[in-house]
Amino acid sequence: MNPIRRLYDHYHAYHAYGPPRLKYMGLLGMLTFCAFYFLRFTRPNPQVLDDLELRTGVVLAMLALGLQDLWPARLKPYYIPFSYAAMVYSLPFFTVYTGLERGGGVPAISNGFISLCFLTLLTDWRNTFVMLGLGSGLAVALFRLTHPGVPIAADMVAQLPAYLVIAIGANLFKFSTEQIETERKLRATQALAGSIAHELRYPLARIRYSLESMQRVLPVPGVGGQVAPVAPAEVEALYRHLAQGEQAIDRGLQVISMTLEEVSAKPLDEAGFSYLSAAEVVQKAVDEYTYDSEEARGRVAVQVLGDFHFRGDETAFLFVLFNLLKNALYYLEPYPGTRVEITVGSHQVKVRDNGPGIAPDVLAGLFEPFRSVGKSGGTGLGLAYCQRVMKAFAGEIRCESRQGEFTEFTLRLPPIGEAERELHRLSVLEAARASLSGKRLLLVEDDAAQRVTTRHKLRPLGLQVDEAPDGQRALDLLARHAYDLVLLDLQMPVLDGYQVVQRVRQGEAPANRYVRIVAHTSEPVHVARVKTQRAGMDGFISKPCAQLPLALALQRALARRPSPAVDRPLRDRRLLLADDSPFNRRAVSAYLQEAGATVVEVEHGIAVLDELGSGQRFDAVLMDLSMPGLDGVEAARAIRGSGRPWARVPIVALTAHSDAPAIDAARSAGMDGFLVKPVDAGLLYDSLASVLAGTRALPLPEAQPPAAPPPVEGPLLNVARLESYQRLGLLDELLADYLPEIARLVEVLADAVQRQELDQARDALHSLLGMSGEAGAQALYHHVRRIYVPVLEQRSWPQDSGWLAQLRTLAGRTEQALRDYGARQDPARIA
């Protein structure tokens, strides 16, 4: 390596890490050089201009070093190289040159010693001598050029040996202290690394044990790779072992997080503090701590003499309790009678064990960092972390112990007033209400008393709550209504919670396939977390629970992305949707996006060809058959005959009528699937999943004689469809856009009838058929369909002379029914 480069690398390494010495030197140097200049005015006959230009350069160089934080990002890489030149110029060069100009003397010698000391502090030993020689040499050279014949001051030359001794001695001393500091840091690092390795040994061993246990439970592979069925008890055992493995991982992460927090000494962010129930956090700590064995768990008891609230960070306080539990349970093996009791009351939490106790001479330094007493391999950081957390909470931690009897840690927390706590409760409920109000929730619980209690807790949140006493009743309601949330008990007769979730996620209730589901369970926390996540639920909360945790659990579930266990069949798919009706596109696009797809919308066949030809990748195309210009059938033929890479893209037809000519045309054009409007979300997903897998969505249906449509009288609205729109956030758009458009189409149809324009009437009926179906206007849809069939297939007017009046009347009733439905969902909505 180039020697100059190696020399600079040493200087760079000296300043790249650690405190910003150069910045501090710059600020100090700027002030010092300015102060020394103005001090000369206190002497008789001051030489004001003798070094003004050189000194100004020094002050500017020092100022640039001091303003390090203000350097632009693009210039920061040049800061350290600039500092090298600035140091050479400001210290040895300026000091030596000005001393030579003034003929030496005590001030020049003193300035030389000061510059040498600062240079030694600010550089490594190699660069100290290089910079000293470089700066002094340049100063002497410039002096000779500007002052020929003037001798160099003898007293300055006489001090050169002293300067050399000082430079060597200072660097030797600095080198020795740096070696001591390096050794100290190395030992601390080795101790810390060894401690962490010791702490992680158990979690890793526990993971290995869990994996071995799972291996023993798994059935032995049979002939041809077949395996025997797994019994329910074995499945439960697998989940239990998996949960224990996750607990072990959590324990390792707890140790690492706690250690890093204490090593970094990063202050806790008070912006993240919340109001916590001491009893609830203590119980959570006891439930979630990763015990070595079930026996260890049985040795821990909680006694709540009186709950209280405090302000702090839940995770940090859990780490404090985890650390105290770990310390107390450490002696379980050598002291089999060890028991741990956690008492909550009087604004304090006490953790007491009847282990060996701590010697009096050790108690005074118990909370010092890297202090571990009586335990091999401990980090010695846990209690220091506990103390720092308690101080951040404006509380304190104390320890009392008697050898051979007990050790008791007391966590004293500052009380908060009843008014402050109530204000916090109301603010949490208000925030939860803001996100949950107006949402529809299904409460599934077989215990009637529990349903009453839970409904009471939910009342302030503004939720619309339905109840189901068992899983089968829940499925019935989910099939008929769209819900935003489900609060689901897991242990129920008929169908348990896991079976309900499985059937919902498989599409048995299409409108709720991706509904947010929160488990309400009394199962152990670590087991429930694994099982509910695997089942496709979006969260869980333990029984019993208070009002605020329940509200927060529902709020989090509604805000989070769907569980990764939920099958989103169109995730990462790009789909091209073509329909001349923006209203129909809006509804179908919402269903597709909910299933994870990215949707590009166009309104006719030419636009389909343009999008495909633009080079964008599309996984499938959904096209209405009846579009202006290039219709769906013609567009499909153009795609298949294009000879382009996208010629084989899957195509699914969308149409309001499955007549024989339409089916034959779709088949001959090479379409892969055929869906009748209004599109059902479940069929839409299944059809696309099939064509994307390389099979037809269904064999394109053979033409059948049209079945008699249901009678007009009956339910005016398809409530399940409307509720799905509400869940997707489309209901307001439907009322604002669909209703005026349906009314307009009725008038267009009436005008065509008056002028006997059959083609115009057919087009209006076609649009009205699709619009009414998508809008959930069930009776109107069937009535229009009954009229549309003869107009389309027989190209003749309906035989019943009163058909138009009946349609007008039904459209009016439908419009009013839709407005009434909207008003019931939101009373503030203007009809």
Side-chain angles (χ1 to χ4, degrees):
M1 182 185 290
N2 188 315
I4 296 177
R5 179 66 186 179
R6 187 183 305 116
L7 196 67
Y8 172 74
D9 287 344
H10 284 297
Y11 178 78
H12 185 277
Y14 193 84
H15 288 291
Y17 309 100
R21 304 181 188 92
L22 292 172
K23 182 177 75 171
Y24 299 147
M25 177 61 195
L27 296 173
L28 177 63
M30 179 193 65
L31 295 174
T32 302
F33 279 102
C34 288
F36 278 25
Y37 176 77
F38 288 110
L39 281 174
R40 68 180 58 179
F41 289 97
T42 64
R43 299 192 295 267
N45 301 318
Q47 300 296 317
V48 178
L49 302 177
D50 63 340
D51 63 356
L52 183 61
E53 295 86 353
L54 293 175
R55 188 176 293 270
T56 301
V58 171
V59 170
L60 292 176
M62 292 290 106
L63 179 63
L65 290 179
L67 299 180
Q68 176 185 8
D69 297 336
L70 300 181
W71 280 48
R74 60 187 177 84
L75 296 181
K76 283 187 182 295
Y78 304 105
Y79 179 82
I80 293 181
F82 168 79
S83 73
Y84 199 100
M87 298 293 293
V88 170
Y89 173 73
S90 302
L91 295 178
F93 173 80
F94 178 81
T95 303
V96 171
Y97 182 78
T98 55
L100 291 173
E101 269 198 327
R102 294 166 184 163
V106 175
I109 295 172
S110 300
N111 290 341
F113 278 118
I114 293 172
S115 296
L116 180 58
C117 291
F118 275 110
L119 196 64
T120 304
L121 291 173
L122 291 169
T123 60
D124 62 285
W125 67 269
R126 306 167 189 83
N127 282 286
T128 297
F129 292 104
V130 169
M131 295 171 81
L132 185 62
L134 180 62
S136 300
L138 290 173
V140 171
L142 181 61
F143 180 75
R144 283 296 186 193
L145 288 174
T146 57
H147 300 79
V150 177
I152 295 177
D155 56 350
M156 291 186 66
V157 175
Q159 297 299 323
L160 288 177
Y163 287 149
L164 185 61
V165 170
I166 291 173
I168 294 174
N171 276 286
L172 287 174
F173 176 77
K174 186 173 68 173
F175 180 75
S176 64
T177 56
E178 287 176 352
Q179 287 294 101
I180 294 172
E181 180 65 16
T182 300
E183 182 67 20
R184 189 191 70 81
K185 290 181 179 178
L186 178 61
R187 290 181 179 179
T189 302
Q190 290 173 338
L192 181 61
S195 299
I196 293 177
H198 174 82
E199 294 285 359
L200 291 180
R201 187 178 295 119
Y202 166 75
L204 291 175
R206 185 74 181 204
I207 293 171
R208 181 176 182 177
Y209 170 77
S210 296
L211 292 174
E212 290 174 349
S213 300
M214 293 169 69
Q215 186 179 25
R216 287 194 295 271
V217 173
L218 288 172
V220 179
V223 179
Q226 296 181 351
V227 295
V230 181
E234 293 173 334
V235 173
E236 285 295 319
L238 285 173
Y239 274 116
R240 188 172 64 254
H241 295 315
L242 179 60
Q244 289 170 349
E246 286 201 355
Q247 269 193 309
I249 294 173
D250 287 343
R251 175 170 180 167
L253 293 175
Q254 288 164 8
V255 171
I256 292 172
S257 297
M258 200 160 47
T259 303
L260 292 178
E261 286 279 346
E262 183 56 31
V263 169
S264 66
K266 183 174 66 176
L268 295 179
D269 183 9
E270 293 191 23
F273 285 8
S274 59
Y275 292 85
L276 305 171
S277 160
E280 290 176 5
V281 179
V282 166
Q283 190 60 55
K284 186 174 184 178
V286 172
D287 290 340
E288 296 189 5
Y289 180 74
T290 48
Y291 298 92
D292 292 356
S293 63
E294 289 298 324
E295 179 190 5
R297 172 63 183 89
R299 298 301 180 91
V300 179
V302 176
Q303 184 179 16
V304 180
L305 302 178
D307 191 15
F308 63 93
H309 287 73
F310 65 96
R311 188 171 179 271
D313 180 88
E314 183 183 69
T315 301
F317 195 65
L318 285 173
F319 278 176
V320 169
L321 293 172
F322 288 159
N323 188 74
L324 298 180
L325 280 170
K326 177 171 68 71
N327 290 342
L329 294 171
Y330 178 85
Y331 296 101
L332 184 59
E333 186 173 343
Y335 293 86
T338 298
R339 295 192 175 277
V340 182
E341 183 173 297
I342 305 178
T343 306
V344 179
S346 301
H347 296 286
Q348 57 189 17
V349 176
K350 293 185 177 182
V351 181
R352 182 187 181 101
D353 69 80
N354 60 345
I358 302 173
D361 59 318
V362 174
L363 283 176
L366 195 61
F367 296 99
E368 295 176 3
F370 296 102
R371 183 71 178 268
S372 183
V373 180
K375 295 184 293 183
S376 61
T379 64
L381 288 172
L383 291 178
Y385 175 81
C386 295
Q387 185 178 58
R388 189 162 66 86
V389 169
M390 293 305 297
K391 286 182 177 179
F393 293 173
E396 63 175 346
I397 178 172
R398 300 194 312 270
C399 179
E400 181 184 355
S401 182
R402 291 181 193 159
Q403 282 190 288
E405 294 186 28
F406 71 91
T407 298
E408 181 177 86
F409 286 90
T410 300
L411 309 174
R412 181 174 293 279
L413 293 149
I416 60 174
E418 187 64 30
E420 183 180 356
R421 189 177 69 170
E422 180 64 14
L423 183 63
H424 164 67
R425 188 185 74 85
L426 294 176
S427 66
V428 172
L429 289 179
E430 185 61 31
R433 182 182 176 86
S435 62
L436 298 174
S437 180
K439 300 294 189 293
R440 191 166 187 175
L441 177 142
L442 178 60
L443 171 60
V444 188
E445 170 64 62
D446 63 313
D447 186 332
Q450 186 74 34
R451 289 200 305 273
V452 172
T453 302
T454 304
R455 178 183 279 275
H456 178 74
K457 295 173 185 175
L458 296 174
R459 186 172 294 122
L461 303 180
L463 288 159
Q464 180 183 346
V465 181
D466 296 340
E467 296 181 12
D470 56 59
Q472 185 58 59
R473 176 61 178 159
L475 281 178
D476 294 342
L477 290 173
L478 288 165
R480 295 204 306 269
H481 307 285
Y483 289 94
D484 301 287
L485 287 160
V486 177
L487 185 59
L488 180 66
D489 183 23
L490 296 183
Q491 305 298 327
M492 296 181 295
V494 185
L495 286 177
D496 66 24
Y498 294 109
Q499 292 172 303
V500 170
V501 174
Q502 181 183 31
R503 292 168 69 167
V504 168
R505 297 308 190 207
Q506 289 175 348
E508 189 166 315
N512 292 289
R513 189 169 187 173
Y514 306 112
V515 67
R516 304 295 191 266
I517 301 177
V518 177
H520 200 199
T521 176
S522 55
E523 288 187 295
V525 172
H526 64 285
V527 176
R529 180 182 292 110
V530 174
K531 293 173 69 175
T532 55
Q533 182 177 349
R534 181 65 184 90
M537 301 186 207
D538 302 281
F540 75 93
I541 187 164
S542 298
K543 291 182 180 179
C545 68
Q547 184 182 49
L548 294 190
L550 177 60
L552 291 172
L554 295 175
Q555 191 177 0
R556 284 193 297 267
L558 194 65
R560 76 188 293 266
R561 298 184 64 175
S563 166
V566 177
D567 179 26
R568 293 172 69 80
L570 302 179
R571 183 188 291 114
D572 300 327
R573 296 291 191 177
R574 281 180 53 83
L575 305 175
L576 182 56
L577 173 62
D579 195 311
D580 60 312
S581 169
F583 309 103
N584 295 344
R585 289 200 309 270
R586 189 178 304 154
V588 176
S589 178
Y591 286 135
L592 295 174
Q593 290 178 48
E594 189 188 27
T598 300
V599 183
V600 175
E601 300 179 27
V602 296
E603 58 184 11
H604 49 69
I606 295 176
V608 170
L609 297 178
D610 290 342
E611 288 290 340
L612 291 172
S614 67
Q616 297 186 64
R617 176 189 65 83
F618 289 99
D619 296 291
V621 178
L622 297 94
M623 283 196 293
D624 183 25
L625 293 185
S626 300
M627 296 184 291
L630 195 69
D631 65 21
V633 173
E634 293 168 334
R637 289 197 182 103
I639 293 169
R640 296 298 185 226
S642 66
R644 304 285 295 278
W646 36 266
R648 299 310 308 164
V649 64
I651 305 174
V652 176
L654 303 176
T655 181
H657 184 60
S658 56
D659 60 300
I663 294 172
D664 292 340
R667 182 184 289 111
S668 64
M671 291 186 165
D672 303 283
F674 194 96
L675 292 172
V676 178
K677 300 177 184 178
V679 174
D680 176 79
L683 287 176
L684 176 65
Y685 301 152
D686 292 342
S687 297
L688 282 170
S690 297
V691 300
L692 291 170
T695 59
R696 286 186 178 273
L698 48 91
L700 288 176
E702 299 294 335
Q704 300 291 336
V712 172
E713 291 303 324
L716 285 175
L717 306 179
N718 184 338
V719 175
R721 191 172 194 85
L722 293 172
E723 289 176 344
S724 69
Y725 286 148
Q726 184 180 10
R727 181 169 53 83
L728 294 172
L730 290 176
L731 187 61
D732 286 336
E733 294 183 42
L734 180 148
L735 294 175
D737 298 335
Y738 278 38
L739 294 181
E741 182 64 11
I742 289 175
R744 187 190 69 83
L745 289 172
V746 171
E747 294 306 317
V748 170
L749 177 62
D751 182 67
V753 171
Q754 183 177 359
R755 294 188 290 106
Q756 291 295 293
E757 291 284 349
L758 186 61
D759 289 341
Q760 184 180 357
R762 181 196 60 204
D763 292 343
L765 284 169
H766 173 80
S767 298
L768 189 57
L769 181 65
M771 180 72 65
S772 59
E774 294 297 345
Q778 180 172 293
L780 181 62
Y781 168 79
H782 289 304
H783 186 77
V784 173
R785 184 177 175 84
R786 185 171 57 182
I787 298 169
Y788 181 60
V789 171
V791 172
L792 179 67
E793 296 184 353
Q794 303 169 15
R795 296 192 56 79
S796 62
W797 295 103
Q799 298 297 317
D800 184 358
S801 59
W803 67 272
L804 181 58
Q806 294 176 8
L807 190 149
R808 276 183 181 277
T809 301
L810 185 55
R813 291 172 56 203
T814 299
E815 177 181 357
Q816 187 58 49
L818 285 169
R819 293 191 185 280
D820 291 344
Y821 178 85
R824 288 195 300 273
Q825 307 313 307
D826 182 2
R829 183 181 288 118
I830 298 175

